[in-house]
Coordinates of all heavy atoms in Angstrom, one line a residue:
R175 N -4.1 -5.9 -11.2 CA -5.2 -5.4 -10.6 C -4.9 -4.2 -9.5 O -5.5 -3.2 -9.6 CB -6.1 -6.4 -9.9 CG -7.5 -5.9 -9.5 CD -8.3 -7.1 -8.8 NE -8.3 -8.3 -9.6 CZ -7.9 -9.5 -9.1 NH1 -7.4 -9.6 -7.9 NH2 -7.9 -10.5 -9.9
E176 N -3.8 -4.5 -8.8 CA -3.4 -3.5 -7.8 C -2.9 -2.2 -8.5 O -3.0 -1.1 -8.0 CB -2.3 -4.0 -6.9 CG -2.8 -5.1 -5.9 CD -1.7 -5.8 -5.2 OE1 -0.5 -5.4 -5.3 OE2 -2.0 -6.7 -4.5
N177 N -2.2 -2.3 -9.7 CA -1.7 -1.3 -10.4 C -2.7 -0.5 -11.2 O -2.4 0.6 -11.7 CB -0.6 -1.7 -11.3 CG 0.7 -2.2 -10.5 OD1 0.9 -1.7 -9.4 ND2 1.4 -3.1 -11.1
Q178 N -3.9 -0.9 -11.2 CA -5.0 -0.2 -12.0 C -5.6 0.9 -11.1 O -5.6 0.7 -9.9 CB -6.1 -1.1 -12.4 CG -5.7 -2.1 -13.5 CD -6.8 -3.1 -13.9 OE1 -7.8 -3.1 -13.2 NE2 -6.6 -3.9 -14.9
D179 N -6.0 2.0 -11.7 CA -6.7 3.0 -10.9 C -8.0 2.5 -10.4 O -8.8 1.9 -11.2 CB -6.8 4.3 -11.8 CG -7.3 5.5 -11.1 OD1 -7.0 5.5 -9.8 OD2 -7.8 6.4 -11.6
Q180 N -8.3 2.7 -9.1 CA -9.5 2.3 -8.5 C -10.2 3.5 -7.9 O -9.5 4.5 -7.5 CB -9.3 1.3 -7.4 CG -8.6 0.0 -7.9 CD -8.4 -0.9 -6.7 OE1 -9.2 -1.2 -5.9 NE2 -7.1 -1.4 -6.6
I181 N -11.5 3.6 -7.9 CA -12.2 4.6 -7.3 C -12.8 4.0 -6.0 O -13.6 3.1 -6.0 CB -13.4 5.2 -8.2 CG1 -12.8 5.6 -9.5 CG2 -14.1 6.3 -7.4 CD1 -11.8 6.7 -9.5
L182 N -12.4 4.6 -4.9 CA -12.7 4.0 -3.6 C -13.3 5.1 -2.7 O -13.1 6.3 -2.8 CB -11.5 3.4 -2.8 CG -10.7 2.4 -3.6 CD1 -9.4 2.1 -2.9 CD2 -11.5 1.2 -3.8
N183 N -14.2 4.6 -1.7 CA -14.7 5.5 -0.7 C -13.6 5.6 0.4 O -12.5 5.1 0.3 CB -16.0 5.0 -0.2 CG -15.9 3.7 0.6 OD1 -14.8 3.2 0.9 ND2 -17.1 3.1 0.8
R184 N -13.9 6.4 1.4 CA -13.0 6.7 2.5 C -12.4 5.4 3.1 O -11.2 5.2 3.3 CB -13.6 7.6 3.5 CG -12.9 7.9 4.8 CD -13.7 8.9 5.6 NE -13.3 8.9 7.1 CZ -13.8 8.2 8.0 NH1 -14.9 7.4 7.8 NH2 -13.4 8.3 9.2
K185 N -13.3 4.5 3.5 CA -13.0 3.2 4.1 C -12.1 2.4 3.2 O -11.1 1.8 3.7 CB -14.2 2.5 4.5 CG -13.9 1.2 5.3 CD -15.2 0.4 5.7 CE -14.9 -0.8 6.4 NZ -16.0 -1.7 6.7
G186 N -12.5 2.3 1.9 CA -11.7 1.5 1.0 C -10.3 2.1 0.8 O -9.3 1.3 0.7
L187 N -10.2 3.4 0.7 CA -8.8 4.0 0.6 C -8.0 3.7 1.8 O -6.8 3.5 1.7 CB -9.0 5.5 0.3 CG -7.7 6.1 -0.2 CD1 -7.3 5.6 -1.5 CD2 -7.8 7.6 -0.2

Side-chain angles (χ1 to χ4, degrees):
R175 191 177 312 120
E176 288 172 8
N177 291 331
Q178 291 177 353
D179 191 22
Q180 300 176 47
I181 304 301
L182 303 172
N183 62 13
R184 176 178 161 259
K185 183 180 176 187
L187 192 67

